[in-house]
Amino acid sequence: MGVMSGPYVIRGSVSLPEAELMWRFSRSSGPGGQHVNTSDSQVELRFDLAATDALPEVWKTRALERLAGRLVGGVISVRASEHRSQWRNRETAAARLAALLAEATAPPPKPRIKRKIPRGINERRLREKKQRGDTKRGRSGRDW
């Protein structure tokens, strides 16, 4: 388990460049015994989105726009501390960053085309509503 599992693909042939990832390690919070006081298992992964050349220009502008609230000086950071081993936290952080960038660089959805509801469907709906009302009215004991 010593080797990091390959390039983290964002989408298609575009993946996170290992050289542009900035890692920072610190102690995780929470319980864990004697070992937790000496190991830096929490991982913070930072990626300079504004300065990268790994993403196509269109994707980059789209991501900068969509992630504007999460960016600090054009840099996006992801933190992971749920696993006890630093290696697994590194995997989690990198996968999370790749997923975040994949979502942020996705093309906007196609606009929905409004279509008129066919008259027959509307009439049927109203007829069924009427029947349902009659059924319910028939349940009460009083005469109308």
Side-chain angles (χ1 to χ4, degrees):
M1 267 212 198
V3 186
M4 293 277 289
S5 63
Y8 293 94
V9 177
I10 296 172
R11 197 167 55 254
S13 61
V14 181
S15 57
L16 281 174
E18 198 65 50
E20 292 183 31
L21 300 179
M22 296 168 278
W23 300 92
R24 205 165 83 203
F25 309 102
S26 57
R27 294 190 190 129
S28 286
S29 60
Q34 296 95 323
H35 175 69
V36 81
N37 301 326
T38 56
S39 64
D40 293 342
S41 60
Q42 178 172 283
V43 172
E44 187 184 352
L45 173 59
R46 301 176 61 184
F47 180 64
D48 195 344
L49 190 58
T52 189
D53 292 327
L55 298 176
E57 207 54 47
V58 185
W59 287 20
K60 194 163 133 180
T61 50
R62 209 182 282 158
L64 284 168
E65 206 173 278
R66 290 183 185 168
L67 298 172
R70 283 194 64 161
L71 296 175
V72 179
V75 177
I76 187 157
S77 68
V78 174
R79 194 176 268 141
S81 62
E82 54 266 20
H83 301 293
R84 286 177 61 177
S85 81
Q86 185 191 94
W87 185 81
R88 282 182 66 194
N89 280 331
R90 284 178 68 142
E91 292 280 299
T92 305
R96 227 182 258 167
L97 180 63
L100 190 69
L101 287 173
E103 198 178 306
T105 58
K110 286 190 178 119
R112 182 176 173 270
I113 301 167
K114 280 186 170 177
R115 294 214 161 80
K116 194 166 174 268
I117 299 170
R119 199 171 71 213
I121 289 178
N122 223 3
E123 285 174 357
R124 187 176 72 210
R125 182 181 63 86
L126 292 172
R127 196 171 51 247
E128 285 170 1
K129 263 179 89 138
K130 195 98 182 124
Q131 273 180 335
R132 187 91 181 119
D134 291 343
T135 306
K136 287 185 172 189
R137 195 173 299 120
R139 287 182 189 151
S140 73
R142 55 195 145 134
D143 295 325
W144 289 96

